[in-house]
Amino acid sequence: MLLTLTSDLPNFKTASFQPGLNIAVAERTKNASTEDSRNAVGKSSFVGTLDFLLGASAGTNHVARRPEIVDYSFELKMHLGSSTSIIHRSGQAPNEILVDGSKTNLEGLKNILGSELFGLTGSESEPSFRQLIAYYLRNESAGGFQEAIRTNSRQANLATQLPLAYLFGLDTAVPRRAMEISTSKKSLQSLRSAAKDPIFGRAVGSVEELEAEISTLTISRIELERQLDDYQVIEMYTEHVERADELSRRIRQLNDESALALQRTKDLQHSLEGEDTLQPDHGYLADVYEQVGIVFPERALRSYTEVEAFHESVVRNRRLYLSQELSEAEERVVASVRSISELDAQRSEIMVLLQAGGALETFQMMQKELGAIEGRIAELREKLANVVALKEARSHLQKQSMALEDSTKLSLHSLEEQVQFIGSLFSEFAFEIYGKRRPATLGIRESDQGYVFTPTLGGDSSAGVKSIEIFCFDLAMAVTAHRFGNGPDFLVHDSHLYDAVEARQVASALRVASNVCRDQGIQYVVALNSDALEKASATVSDLEFHQCATLTDEYDTGGFFGKRFN
């Protein structure tokens, strides 16, 4: 139970708490200017400072670390277990904390408070202290007054299950199992997304597609293995290829030379055949001269005979030259044909050798190709195994979700009286505020994701109605947790909860809180403007409450800290 909240700030508004309804009142002073507002007197800072001393983290933006007050410290006196304890903390050194004069750090403080206020043992199956205390001091800036089941606007449904199950005395194994299944589903989804992401590789594909590609590559692998088994590595393979190319070039050259020589023989044979028919006949000259009566002297006839003999000698020599040339040309043709035949035989031997095997480089290349095929097959088999595993995992998780829903249902059935008690508390509180105009229920049911908490107030869903829904939910939770030893004996609400609530409903809520606190032996602490309290008191004449702190709108010293911030 909370006792006092103090500080060494000179004008700090000390708060003292008693059992029952405690109200920190923000009053308007007669001499306050029209520019002063009770919205800045520190009602939220009042709740924030309580939270600070109950283990809230203190970032650089926390009010306790404002330059105007960072050098000052705060103390909360409260009952922890059977003894009274004092928690001392400052914004200057938020991780250096005193509990009853003994030094500890923030984690140490949370461990102490978790054990004393909620009975936490430090087990991994339990919620954290801060997850639990957040329902007792909701933070408006974090969205704590938007929905009953959430203390933070970004809090997922799954994250609410464990603390609420603990506070309502339900089986905490259910939300733990729900978290495990959710984590497995996220991991499964991540695997599927990564497999389809082009950065990580091609899409996984179906079982049929992968098996088809594996079969095709296996055939290629077998054929390549057979070729490698039959492969003969030829030494000096490159030299043999170069020799075969050289022989081919030489054969082409000889074929060209042989063709030219053959053409030469044909030309020479034609020339020899024309020697006899083309030579002039000089005998006709004597006949001509005799017919015209010219008689050559003997000396002239002898000269003519010599010329004729010379000419015959020239013709004879030409025929001899042509015959020799023809013989040489024919020999060149025969030699070329013989050389071509010899070179072709050599080339054939080399080609037979090359066809029987190949180079070492080719063999190594074939081996590399085989390795690539085997690597691809292994990759595809791994993908196939992943596809099968993903399908099996998805099916397994579906079965686990169904099993979770069944086990949750059994758990709720075994706690039927407790669940009905929780629901009846919520409905009773709502009925006292709204009567039968707004049917109310706090449903706790099973799903394939664990527990589902559904507080409902009938009628319109205005902001004021949502606020009363949160009030009824929190009060039902606080009563249940305190009754079963799972929670503290206090509940604190910021004035923001009542901003949109009609005056009549504010009065009814305060009356409910006062009565419940008296009956259950707990505290309800709330900050309110004085005019709202006056309206509530006028509506509920016998409203019992303790004014735990008084805040004013005096500019310099009236606020909670007694110091006005820029």
Side-chain angles (χ1 to χ4, degrees), residues 234-250 252 346-347 350-351 354:
I234 299 175
E235 296 182 2
M236 301 177 65
Y237 180 86
T238 303
E239 288 82 352
H240 286 304
V241 172
E242 291 175 353
R243 176 59 180 162
D245 292 341
E246 176 61 30
L247 289 173
S248 295
R249 287 193 295 270
R250 181 60 181 153
R252 286 195 299 272
Q346 294 179 28
R347 185 177 64 176
I350 293 175
M351 294 306 295
L354 293 176

Side-chain angles (χ1 to χ4, degrees), residues 298-528:
E298 181 180 353
R299 183 174 179 178
L301 291 173
R302 189 170 53 250
S303 297
Y304 173 79
T305 302
E306 291 174 354
V307 171
E308 184 179 22
F310 174 75
H311 180 73
E312 289 178 353
S313 172
V314 170
V315 171
R316 193 169 46 250
N317 288 336
R318 175 175 171 77
R319 288 178 61 83
L320 179 61
Y321 170 76
L322 292 174
S323 297
Q324 289 176 346
E325 285 293 310
L326 177 61
S327 176
E328 290 177 1
E330 289 176 342
E331 287 178 0
R332 283 197 296 273
V333 170
V334 172
S336 295
V337 172
R338 183 171 57 252
S339 297
I340 289 171
S341 178
E342 292 174 355
L343 293 176
D344 189 56
Q346 294 179 28
R347 185 177 64 176
S348 297
E349 291 178 0
I350 293 175
M351 294 306 295
V352 170
L353 177 64
L354 293 176
Q355 290 174 359
L360 177 61
E361 292 83 357
T362 304
F363 182 76
Q364 292 173 337
M365 188 180 300
M366 293 171 66
Q367 286 183 318
K368 185 177 180 180
E369 183 181 355
L370 177 62
I373 291 175
E374 290 177 338
R376 179 59 181 160
I377 290 174
E379 177 187 350
L380 290 171
R381 283 178 175 166
E382 183 177 355
K383 284 189 174 182
L384 178 61
N386 288 337
V387 171
V388 174
L390 286 172
K391 292 178 68 175
E392 291 179 350
R394 184 168 53 193
S395 176
H396 179 64
L397 286 174
Q398 289 174 346
K399 293 177 181 178
Q400 285 187 319
S401 296
M402 294 173 62
L404 174 63
E405 185 170 3
D406 290 339
S407 63
T408 304
K409 186 175 182 179
L410 289 174
S411 176
L412 289 175
H413 181 72
S414 66
L415 297 170
E416 184 175 1
E417 290 186 5
Q418 186 168 330
V419 172
Q420 289 179 351
F421 169 74
I422 296 168
S424 66
L425 280 178
F426 181 88
S427 299
E428 178 186 335
F429 300 155
F431 184 83
E432 290 188 36
I433 296 172
Y434 285 112
K436 60 182 180 181
R437 293 184 296 117
R438 293 185 182 276
T441 179
L442 173 53
I444 304 176
R445 59 179 178 82
E446 74 282 353
S447 76
D448 60 356
Q449 297 180 12
Y451 294 121
V452 177
F453 300 89
T454 53
T456 305
L457 269 177
D460 65 274
S461 56
S462 65
V465 174
K466 295 295 292 184
S467 292
I468 294 300
E469 183 178 286
I470 294 173
F471 168 81
C472 295
F473 181 88
D474 286 357
L475 194 57
M477 172 206 70
V479 170
T480 304
H482 182 251
R483 175 173 291 191
F484 292 101
N486 294 334
D489 51 7
F490 61 82
L491 175 65
V492 181
H493 276 155
D494 192 333
S495 63
H496 288 290
L497 178 66
Y498 296 102
D499 285 346
V501 181
E502 295 179 6
R504 183 179 298 274
Q505 278 71 53
V506 173
S508 297
L510 294 178
R511 181 183 59 194
V512 169
S514 178
N515 294 336
V516 169
C517 288
R518 182 188 64 244
D519 296 340
Q520 300 294 328
I522 63 176
Q523 291 173 314
Y524 179 64
V525 180
V526 63
L528 283 178

Side-chain angles (χ1 to χ4, degrees), residues 242-290:
E242 291 175 353
R243 176 59 180 162
D245 292 341
E246 176 61 30
L247 289 173
S248 295
R249 287 193 295 270
R250 181 60 181 153
I251 289 171
R252 286 195 299 272
Q253 181 181 355
L254 289 174
N255 278 328
D256 293 341
E257 292 176 357
S258 177
L260 292 174
L262 184 61
Q263 184 62 43
R264 175 70 173 162
T265 59
K266 290 180 180 180
D267 293 341
L268 290 171
Q269 287 175 351
H270 180 71
S271 297
L272 284 172
E273 290 174 356
E275 281 300 315
D276 294 334
T277 59
L278 298 177
Q279 298 306 318
D281 182 9
H282 302 286
Y284 75 94
L285 290 174
D287 294 338
V288 171
Y289 279 107
E290 184 178 354

